[in-house]
Amino acid sequence: MKKSIVKCYQNYVDAKLNNFLHQDASQIAIFNLDDKQVVNCAYRARSKKMFYSSNAPCDCYYDGKSIVVGGVAYPYINNLANHNLSNVLCAVLCVYMLGLDVEKAVKSLQTFVFDNHRMQVVGCKQNVRFVDDSKATNVHAVDCALRSINGDVCLILGGVDKGLDFTQLFESASFDKVRFVACIGQTAKQLQRHCQRYGINCALCQSLQSAVALCYQKALLGGGTVLLSPACSSFDMFESYQQRGDVFQQVVKDIVDA
């Protein structure tokens, strides 16, 4: 199974890099300096190479207070998860290389609001943060969500069984930060078996409401994030991922207001 996953991923990487192979020296390729695999592949590009980073000085980077590009620091308060900060830096570097108004772009990004249910922070109480990522209906989306969070996670997983391979998620490096899993919906027992196989504390929950409450109690022990990132569709319990996210947010509001 692992060999198959690696082979498929390498095919994906090769397909993406193929875009750069059709460039020439008069064009520009932009790469993420924080991703070692991307850096290792950058030499294959035939164009001029530019890099961005969330912490390391380069063509465009974040110094903790500002986005620095072209030798100019543009004040920027970062309230984004790590992967979205990288997206911001990439966009700013593109704006700079196109000769457009960088200051205006940075100001616009500072007030940008993501759509609901996409890594949306919906509440905090004591030392626990609640994040609504109901839009995450596959294992790759959950992996991205986990990689963007610092600290321990109490994770709500489950929903419609779409025939996904959860092994890939449980064996990912990002899953190391998961301290507890609340298993819901049609795939609950299947997910419980995965948790037991990998030695992860878990519980079957009959409703999203009980899952949120239980994750909150677990998170209170040491702090961290209660994350709704189900890796499954919602139609076994809800009309849509939006409704699932709305229910999550209402439960969080009740907890925070209590």
Side-chain angles (χ1 to χ4, degrees), residues 2-241:
K2 284 188 176 182
K3 288 183 178 180
S4 177
I5 293 172
V6 170
K7 184 178 180 180
C8 291
Y9 181 68
Q10 188 57 51
N11 289 341
Y12 169 81
V13 171
D14 290 340
K16 290 294 185 182
L17 287 172
N18 192 51
N19 294 320
F20 300 109
L21 298 181
H22 293 283
Q23 291 184 302
D24 58 40
S26 68
Q27 297 172 310
I28 299 168
I30 294 176
F31 298 97
N32 183 0
L33 188 64
D34 300 331
D35 189 321
K36 292 182 179 180
Q37 184 169 8
V38 168
V39 173
N40 289 338
C41 294
Y43 75 92
R44 294 169 62 178
R46 299 170 180 172
S47 50
K48 180 179 180 181
K49 302 169 187 62
M50 306 289 288
F51 294 90
Y52 62 91
S53 170
S54 60
N55 50 54
C58 59
D59 299 300
C60 181
Y61 65 98
Y62 183 64
D63 67 1
K65 295 181 180 180
S66 304
I67 293 176
V68 183
V69 59
V72 179
Y74 299 89
Y76 182 82
I77 299 173
N78 177 38
N79 57 3
L80 299 174
N82 293 341
H83 69 292
N84 281 322
L85 175 60
S86 289
N87 292 336
V88 163
L89 294 166
C90 181
V92 170
L93 183 52
C94 288
V95 168
Y96 173 75
M97 296 308 298
L98 289 170
L100 302 176
D101 191 331
V102 175
E103 183 176 11
K104 184 177 180 179
V106 172
K107 287 182 178 179
S108 297
L109 288 165
Q110 187 69 81
T111 57
F112 178 79
V113 178
F114 290 95
D115 289 341
N116 291 339
H117 317 305
R118 293 165 174 82
M119 290 302 293
Q120 181 184 8
V121 178
V122 296
C124 298
K125 187 166 185 179
Q126 295 178 308
N127 56 350
V128 179
R129 183 176 68 157
F130 298 87
V131 177
D132 174 4
D133 192 35
S134 184
K135 181 68 168 61
T137 58
N138 58 67
V139 295
H140 175 71
V142 180
D143 180 47
C144 289
L146 290 172
R147 284 192 283 112
S148 73
I149 293 176
N150 295 321
D152 293 346
V153 175
C154 291
L155 177 63
I156 301 174
L157 279 178
V160 173
D161 187 354
K162 295 161 49 176
L164 299 176
D165 179 17
F166 294 114
T167 301
Q168 183 179 359
L169 175 61
F170 279 80
E171 292 186 351
S172 67
S174 65
F175 216 82
D176 290 345
K177 65 186 69 174
V178 176
R179 296 293 172 262
F180 177 78
V181 176
C183 307
I184 63 172
Q186 191 181 94
T187 56
K189 291 185 178 180
Q190 180 183 353
L191 289 164
Q192 182 187 44
R193 289 193 294 271
H194 275 82
C195 288
Q196 292 169 343
R197 176 184 174 188
Y198 290 95
I200 298 170
N201 190 19
C202 71
L204 292 175
C205 297
Q206 297 302 312
S207 68
L208 179 56
Q209 291 88 337
S210 62
V212 177
L214 183 55
C215 282
Y216 174 58
Q217 292 302 316
K218 297 289 185 181
L220 276 174
L221 298 175
T225 300
V226 173
L227 172 65
L228 170 65
S229 194
C232 301
S233 298
S234 59
F235 302 117
D236 53 343
M237 302 171 71
F238 304 96
E239 293 180 358
S240 64
Y241 77 82

Side-chain angles (χ1 to χ4, degrees), residues 243-258:
Q243 186 191 43
R244 177 170 60 190
D246 289 342
V247 170
F248 175 80
Q249 293 191 26
Q250 182 59 55
V251 178
V252 171
K253 184 178 185 301
D254 292 343
I255 291 173
V256 172
D257 292 345

